[in-house]
Amino acid sequence: MEVGLGQSPTSEIKVGVVLDLKTTFSKICLTSINMSLSDFYGDHPNYRTRLALHARDSMEDVVQASAAALDLIKNEQVSAIIGPRSSMQAEFMIRMANKSQVPIITFSATSPLLTSIKSPYFYRATLDDSCQVEAIAAVVNSFGWRSVVAIYVDNELGKGIMHSLSDALQDVEVHRSVISTEASDDQILKELYKLKTRQTRVFVIHMASRLGFRVLQKARKIGMLEKEYVWLLSNGMTNMMTHDGRSLETMQGVLGVRNHVRKSKELEDFRLRWKRKYQKDNPSTRDDVELNVFALWAYDSITALATAVEKTNTNNMRYDNFSALSNNTTDLGTLGVSLYGPSLLEALSRVEFKGLAGEFSLVNRQLVASTFDIINVVGNEERIIGTWTPRDGLMNTNSKKTTLFSNERLGPVVWPGSSYGVPKGWEVPTDGKKIKVGVPVKQGFFNFVEVTKNPITNVTTAKGYAIDIFEAALKKLPYSVIPRYYRIESPEDNYNYLVHQVYDGTLDAVVGDITITANRSMYVDFTLPYTESGVSMLVPLRDNENKNTWVFLKPWSLDLWITTGCFFVLIGFIVWLFEHRVNSDFRGPPHHQIGTSFWFSFSTMVFAHREKVVSNLARFVVIVWCFVVLVLTQSYTANLTSFLTVQRLEPRATSVEDLIRNGESVGFQHGAFVKDTLKGLGFKESQLKSFGSAEKCDELLSNGTSKGGIAAAFDEVAYLKAILSKYCSKYAIVEPSFKTAGFGFAFPKNSPMTGDVSRAILNLTQGEEMAGIENKWFNRLSLASECPDPKTALSSNRLSLSSFWGLFLIAGIASFLAFLIFVGHFLYEHRHTLCDNTEGSLWRKLTSLLRTFDAKDTKSHTFKNSAVHNVSSPVTQCTPSPSTLQMRPWPRSMSLNREFELRRASFFMSEERLTTQAEHNKHGESDIESGSER
């Protein structure tokens, strides 16, 4: 018992924790447990009880877990135990807890078989695996699959779900595949190869995450995560997809069932706090460790236990019939009975609250899930494509329409192999027609064909562009054909040897990058070609110094040019508007004013404007516009520089004649018929060099003839495009030098399969499936985006209006605000004109305002200062005539320009005085006789 200063006494309740402490999973959960205690008592500082944790390491062993629980009960006399990690460890611990009346609360043991022990002291603060089988069955039924293979682990975890799963899939044929917990990689592969020969292609996998993802990796290795395969993961595996830094890249297209955890601000805040706490407690672990749902259940379990303990009477905490006489810490005969257990049991059953993982309520001593999310792995994302509830069944998260009694499927699904078509769920039976197919062993260009043989299972696996085309064509045949691949090594990589294998009956077909030639067609029949025909020349690129005459227009797009020009005109108009009444530079004949406005605006482009700006509003607008012009000109200069220095590429050689004339060396693929063709064109033996892979070809072309390399490479167009897929920025394909028939599949003479496969290939080339296969092996889509045509490089780097719309917005707003202020001030200053009823109609008032705007603002300081030297008499005196002003002598020391300015100012002052006197006479406000003035 602890007593703090000013606090009521608290009782310490011992609680045991049995976990595999050295595993990442247990470290994650232990951090949540400690944070739960801290948060709970931080929110309830006045509670009279405190949980004290005593952790024990079960070392991932069933016996050690039981020994740890026995030690906690016998020596620590704990009131409850949190754990264990697995269902296998839990069975004996549950029986022990039942005997000693110590409640066991597990947040990760999910096997339904544990419920059969029927111990009132076993609480499952997690989901029973049988809760998810209805959701799994709903997914299977929604796609109409009639057969599935359940792959499960050979222990309590795997066996526990099978009975419930079979009942849920009562209308579906369920096959079983058992994987041992101690299975090696070879044993897993053996089982997967056996499954691969079966008709069913839908697999439901349920086992511990570590073993389960090993199975997925091996399945991916042997091609079982490709098109037409379906993999559906159970709740436990789906929740652990990214555990311990696991990448989703190996699980593309996989479906999963996962209990729904509602997102909340509280959960996100806890996730951040948990991340900091975990990294502090485990500084040597990986940085990419993430919180999982089991850690949330661990957090809620401690909260539930602490709440229950507070509601119980803690006066009777002792064990009955406990004896410490034995020195054996694991002596079952000295195991006591907790007198506190029954009261804690009753309190736990009544605990209900909203936890981090959702509503916490133990029904029949275990959590009950109401909602499951259906997950689809796409890229690095676990995409939710639907939800399942007991009431509504499957629901599309996009359309919100239930699919329990309809054929409507879930949201869009990306299946294994990046396929969007729903898999049939089955393949042709293994008793179909089997043919022996020879596949060449290559030294390079493995994206066309690659064949491997497992030394242990003796199984030959082939993959590549040619293999995918061949198998896609077989699927379109009206009958079942099952290819059995054989690894064929040709002498000196000469494919004529493979053709003769078909000719003499050793093989039923040859599949690969086999070129159709007249000589080979004498012994076998070829299908239609599945690649482009022709032999082309691959040459390096060099910089082209020639530049476009109008390249100075390229840095900006058309919309940016037009917008900039419009703003120059706008700014010129705005400045003229503000300066017209107060600045002599912006007055005069209309053509002079227009020219001055345009000159002033466009001269700001090079900051060469000479006219003074006297209006504060105009100065404000000009300052903002000068900033915009500064940014525009600097951006234009930088982009024009890049255009003038950008690399423009062109082929180094364009014809075979140039190569022969210059004595350049050329390359060809080792073992190809192209060598004989090059000799026929006139190349000498010393000029010919062979390569076996794209990397070797790149090396030879990079060196050039002068360094023992080659100046050009000759090969089939398909091979050259494969090289370009890796080195697109360095080389270019020149137009075909001569024609060939392309690649085809070889069958025996008069074989009926030749015509059928040819028609299937024709269907493939006319559909989208061929493009998908090409992109898979040659990255055609990424090639088009990463290696743009050099001719279009200029337009792709142009600056557009979208890059500067913010600047134009600032300039436009500044001009608009200044315009509003100017108009408001002008109307306020001449409000007597608008309010004067003697002016007549509104049109006359507006006309009067316009005449006033066109006249000089005599009140402006600019005109007063210019005339102060010439005006000394009051307004009532006679104004000197212009002739008098012109005859007045000026000091000899005054410059001619100064003399002109002063005379012009004096003239304008006299004219303004005449106008003023006329207005006074009109309104009866002056007694001066203006007739004599005139």
Side-chain angles (χ1 to χ4, degrees):
M1 181 176 295
E2 299 177 359
V3 179
L5 184 62
Q7 296 180 346
S8 59
T10 58
S11 299
E12 182 181 276
I13 310 299
K14 294 182 178 181
V15 175
V17 178
V18 179
L19 292 173
D20 305 327
L21 296 180
K22 295 182 180 179
T23 63
T24 303
F25 176 88
S26 295
K27 291 177 182 178
I28 291 173
C29 297
L30 194 59
T31 299
S32 292
I33 290 173
N34 291 326
M35 291 181 66
S36 179
L37 275 182
S38 176
D39 293 348
F40 183 81
Y41 291 118
D43 294 337
H44 308 92
N46 298 323
Y47 275 17
R48 58 184 176 79
T49 57
R50 294 291 184 273
L51 300 186
L53 301 181
H54 297 263
R56 295 292 185 273
D57 189 1
S58 54
M59 302 180 184
E60 303 183 66
D61 183 72
V62 175
V63 177
Q64 188 62 37
S66 301
L70 183 59
D71 175 53
L72 289 169
I73 294 173
K74 184 177 184 298
N75 299 316
E76 298 293 344
Q77 298 187 43
V78 295
S79 300
I81 295 177
I82 301 295
R85 161 71 178 91
S86 68
S87 300
M88 289 68 68
Q89 296 171 341
E91 183 176 357
F92 185 76
M93 288 179 60
I94 294 172
R95 299 185 188 278
M96 189 188 310
N98 193 49
K99 182 179 180 180
S100 59
Q101 297 185 2
V102 176
I104 286 186
I105 306 173
T106 181
F107 54 82
S108 56
T110 58
S111 174
L113 296 179
L114 299 178
T115 308
S116 63
I117 301 177
K118 297 182 179 179
S119 170
Y121 289 91
F122 173 60
Y123 283 84
R124 198 198 309 262
T126 183
L127 298 182
D128 187 324
D129 282 335
S130 60
C131 295
Q132 62 184 307
V133 295
E134 294 294 339
I136 293 174
V139 174
V140 173
N141 292 328
S142 69
F143 291 108
W145 298 319
R146 289 293 171 258
S147 179
V148 300
V149 176
I151 306 176
Y152 62 97
V153 64
D154 189 16
N155 59 19
E156 287 82 352
L157 174 66
K159 296 175 183 177
I161 196 177
M162 290 311 301
H163 179 72
S164 300
L165 184 62
S166 298
D167 289 344
L169 294 169
Q170 54 185 347
D171 296 330
V172 178
E173 185 179 5
V174 179
H175 305 277
R176 299 189 180 190
S177 174
V178 184
I179 304 292
S180 172
T181 55
E182 306 296 331
S184 64
D185 289 348
D186 291 336
Q187 290 172 329
I188 294 175
L189 282 173
K190 183 178 180 180
E191 182 66 21
L192 290 175
Y193 276 122
K194 184 173 69 175
L195 295 177
K196 195 174 182 180
T197 61
R198 295 182 180 177
Q199 181 177 354
T200 305
R201 289 292 180 265
V202 182
F203 302 99
V204 178
I205 182 168
H206 176 70
M207 56 186 65
S209 60
R210 185 184 305 175
L211 177 61
F213 290 113
R214 276 180 61 204
V215 172
L216 283 177
Q217 288 177 353
K218 300 305 175 186
R220 183 172 181 266
K221 182 178 180 181
I222 64 174
M224 293 183 69
L225 258 74
E226 299 297 333
K227 190 177 179 181
E228 292 301 327
Y229 281 90
V230 179
W231 290 86
L232 179 58
L233 309 186
S234 63
N235 180 50
M237 288 190 63
T238 307
N239 274 306
M240 300 295 286
M241 274 184 175
T242 57
H243 175 66
D244 205 14
R246 191 176 288 118
S247 173
L248 295 177
E249 291 296 331
T250 60
M251 295 174 272
Q252 295 301 297
V254 169
L255 298 180
V257 174
R258 183 174 68 190
N259 61 289
H260 178 74
V261 177
R262 186 182 298 275
K263 294 182 179 179
S264 64
K265 185 178 184 301
E266 180 185 5
L267 178 59
E268 293 304 315
D269 292 342
F270 174 75
R271 192 183 301 275
L272 295 175
R273 292 193 298 116
W274 177 91
K275 188 76 172 179
R276 292 192 295 267
K277 174 69 173 172
Y278 180 84
Q279 291 176 348
K280 180 180 178 181
D281 294 344
N282 306 276
S284 60
T285 57
R286 301 168 59 102
D287 294 336
D288 54 359
V289 175
E290 296 293 338
L291 186 69
N292 56 52
V293 71
F294 296 101
L296 300 181
W297 283 326
Y299 184 97
D300 292 344
S301 299
I302 293 296
T303 302
L305 182 58
T307 303
V309 166
E310 183 65 23
K311 295 179 180 180
T312 59
N313 184 359
T314 58
N315 294 329
N316 191 7
M317 301 293 295
R318 64 185 180 86
Y319 274 59
D320 192 20
N321 296 327
F322 178 79
S323 175
L325 297 177
S326 175
N327 292 327
N328 188 352
T329 59
T330 59
D331 187 359
L332 293 176
T334 61
L335 193 65
V337 177
S338 173
L339 300 180
Y340 177 63
S343 60
L344 180 58
L345 197 71
E346 183 180 356
L348 272 172
S349 301
R350 294 197 302 267
V351 172
E352 292 184 3
F353 61 93
K354 185 177 181 180
L356 289 178
E359 295 297 331
F360 188 95
S361 177
L362 298 174
V363 180
N364 295 325
R365 298 184 300 280
Q366 66 181 19
L367 287 181
V368 177
S370 59
T371 305
F372 284 92
D373 293 329
I374 312 302
I375 306 299
N376 181 211
V377 179
V378 181
N380 289 319
E381 177 187 0
E382 299 174 37
R383 184 180 298 173
I384 299 177
I385 58 173
T387 58
W388 178 90
T389 60
R391 186 187 69 178
D392 298 325
L394 280 181
M395 180 180 293
N396 189 326
T397 53
N398 296 323
S399 67
K400 301 298 183 183
K401 296 180 180 179
T402 59
T403 61
L404 185 61
F405 302 109
S406 69
N407 293 326
E408 185 178 338
R409 302 185 179 99
L410 298 166
V413 181
V414 179
W415 301 98
S418 300
S419 171
Y420 292 89
V422 178
K424 301 188 298 292
W426 57 272
E427 283 298 324
V428 293
T430 55
D431 57 354
K433 179 181 179 181
K434 298 179 180 179
I435 59 174
K436 295 184 292 184
V437 179
V439 181
V441 177
K442 296 181 64 64
Q443 297 180 2
F445 296 100
F446 296 120
N447 43 3
F448 280 98
V449 62
E450 182 180 9
V451 58
T452 57
K453 187 173 185 180
N454 192 307
I456 299 175
T457 60
N458 205 30
V459 175
T460 300
T461 304
K463 62 180 180 179
Y465 175 70
I467 300 299
D468 283 2
I469 295 294
F470 179 70
E471 293 181 349
L474 293 184
K475 292 177 183 178
K476 295 183 177 295
L477 299 181
Y479 47 86
S480 171
V481 177
I482 302 173
R484 181 176 297 172
Y485 298 111
Y486 291 85
R487 191 169 181 268
I488 307 297
E489 296 187 23
S490 304
E492 298 182 356
D493 293 338
N494 194 326
Y495 285 180
N496 292 334
Y497 176 79
L498 278 82
V499 172
H500 282 282
Q501 292 276 301
V502 177
Y503 176 72
D504 61 21
T506 305
L507 298 173
D508 296 321
V510 171
V511 174
D513 48 346
I514 314 295
T515 303
I516 304 172
T517 64
N519 180 56
R520 293 170 181 172
S521 62
M522 295 174 59
Y523 302 95
V524 296
D525 285 341
F526 284 96
T527 63
L528 288 176
Y530 60 89
T531 62
E532 296 180 57
S533 61
V535 172
S536 289
M537 182 171 65
L538 185 73
V539 296
L541 294 171
R542 65 181 177 185
D543 184 37
N544 179 16
E545 298 295 337
N546 295 327
K547 306 298 179 182
N548 194 313
T549 305
W550 300 99
V551 71
F552 68 91
L553 295 176
K554 300 296 184 180
W556 285 1
S557 61
L558 179 61
D559 57 349
L560 184 55
W561 279 113
I562 294 176
T563 304
T564 304
C566 292
F567 263 82
F568 272 117
V569 175
L570 172 66
I571 297 301
F573 170 75
I574 292 293
V575 172
W576 171 85
L577 190 71
F578 297 160
E579 295 291 311
H580 178 65
R581 303 187 68 234
V582 297
N583 193 337
S584 299
D585 290 340
F586 290 85
R587 300 187 61 81
H591 67 274
H592 174 75
Q593 297 183 45
I594 293 174
T596 302
S597 300
F598 277 104
W599 159 254
F600 178 86
S601 177
F602 282 92
S603 64
T604 59
M605 184 165 51
V606 290
F607 305 101
H609 45 285
R610 295 180 303 174
E611 291 77 9
K612 279 200 316 179
V613 179
V614 298
S615 169
N616 287 329
L617 289 176
R619 289 171 179 174
F620 169 69
V621 172
V622 170
I623 289 174
V624 174
W625 177 242
C626 284
F627 171 73
V628 174
V629 170
L630 176 64
V631 175
L632 288 173
T633 54
Q634 293 297 322
S635 302
Y636 174 84
T637 303
N639 211 31
L640 179 61
T641 303
S642 68
F643 276 113
L644 295 175
T645 57
V646 71
Q647 190 179 27
R648 300 296 302 274
L649 304 176
E650 66 177 9
R652 290 183 180 273
T654 57
S655 67
V656 175
E657 291 74 15
D658 292 338
L659 294 173
I660 298 175
R661 186 185 311 112
N662 297 329
E664 302 280 6
S665 297
V666 296
F668 63 94
Q669 188 177 170
H670 182 65
F673 70 95
V674 178
K675 180 179 180 180
D676 296 332
T677 305
L678 293 175
K679 287 183 178 181
L681 292 174
F683 286 99
K684 300 177 182 179
E685 182 73 26
S686 58
Q687 293 179 266
L688 304 180
K689 297 181 183 294
S690 65
F691 56 85
S693 64
E695 293 76 12
K696 182 63 175 177
C697 180
D698 172 58
E699 179 184 348
L700 292 174
L701 286 170
S702 299
N703 291 335
T705 304
S706 60
K707 296 182 181 180
I710 58 177
F714 288 83
D715 213 337
E716 294 269 3
V717 174
Y719 287 123
L720 299 183
K721 288 189 174 182
I723 298 175
L724 279 183
S725 67
K726 290 186 176 182
Y727 310 104
C728 58
S729 61
K730 298 173 63 176
Y731 308 111
I733 297 177
V734 181
E735 290 299 319
S737 302
F738 46 90
K739 295 289 184 180
T740 61
F743 296 164
F745 305 132
F747 289 93
K749 281 286 187 179
N750 302 319
S751 171
M753 287 191 65
T754 305
D756 294 340
V757 174
S758 294
R759 283 185 287 272
I761 291 174
L762 188 61
N763 290 332
L764 283 174
T765 56
Q766 294 176 348
E768 297 180 356
E769 190 173 357
M770 177 70 81
I773 296 174
E774 288 182 354
N775 183 57
K776 172 184 176 182
W777 292 104
F778 301 109
N779 297 322
R780 293 290 165 79
L781 295 180
S782 61
L783 177 62
S785 60
E786 295 176 5
C787 302
D789 186 351
K791 296 179 181 178
T792 62
L794 285 176
S795 61
S796 63
N797 294 324
R798 286 182 173 181
L799 294 175
S800 63
L801 178 61
S802 61
S803 303
F804 300 101
W805 70 269
L807 284 174
F808 288 113
L809 180 64
I810 293 173
I813 292 176
S815 302
F816 181 70
L817 291 177
F819 175 76
L820 289 181
I821 294 173
F822 174 81
V823 172
H825 182 268
F826 179 78
L827 293 178
Y828 179 80
E829 188 178 29
H830 299 85
R831 61 188 182 279
H832 61 276
T833 302
L834 293 174
C835 300
D836 191 358
N837 295 327
T838 62
E839 288 288 342
S841 65
L842 178 62
W843 175 252
R844 295 187 62 184
K845 292 179 180 180
L846 292 177
T847 304
S848 177
L849 285 175
L850 290 176
R851 283 199 302 268
T852 303
F853 170 77
D854 188 53
K856 283 188 178 182
D857 185 1
T858 57
K859 299 178 182 179
S860 173
H861 67 281
T862 55
F863 295 127
K864 289 179 179 179
N865 292 339
S866 63
V868 69
H869 298 291
N870 303 315
V871 181
S872 58
S873 59
V875 177
T876 56
Q877 294 179 354
C878 295
T879 304
S881 65
S883 59
T884 306
L885 291 174
Q886 292 174 0
M887 296 299 295
R888 183 179 298 175
W890 297 92
R892 294 181 178 272
S893 59
M894 184 175 297
S895 65
L896 293 178
N897 288 338
R898 179 61 177 167
E899 176 183 346
F900 174 77
E901 292 292 336
L902 289 176
R903 290 184 181 274
R904 188 177 66 170
S906 299
F907 177 79
F908 286 149
M909 282 296 300
S910 62
E911 184 181 75
E912 288 168 3
R913 286 182 178 179
L914 290 175
T915 304
T916 303
Q917 290 174 358
E919 290 179 353
H920 288 174
N921 183 53
K922 180 180 178 180
H923 291 88
E925 296 179 356
S926 175
D927 296 327
I928 300 176
E929 294 182 2
S930 58
S932 60
E933 290 283 346
R934 292 189 182 92

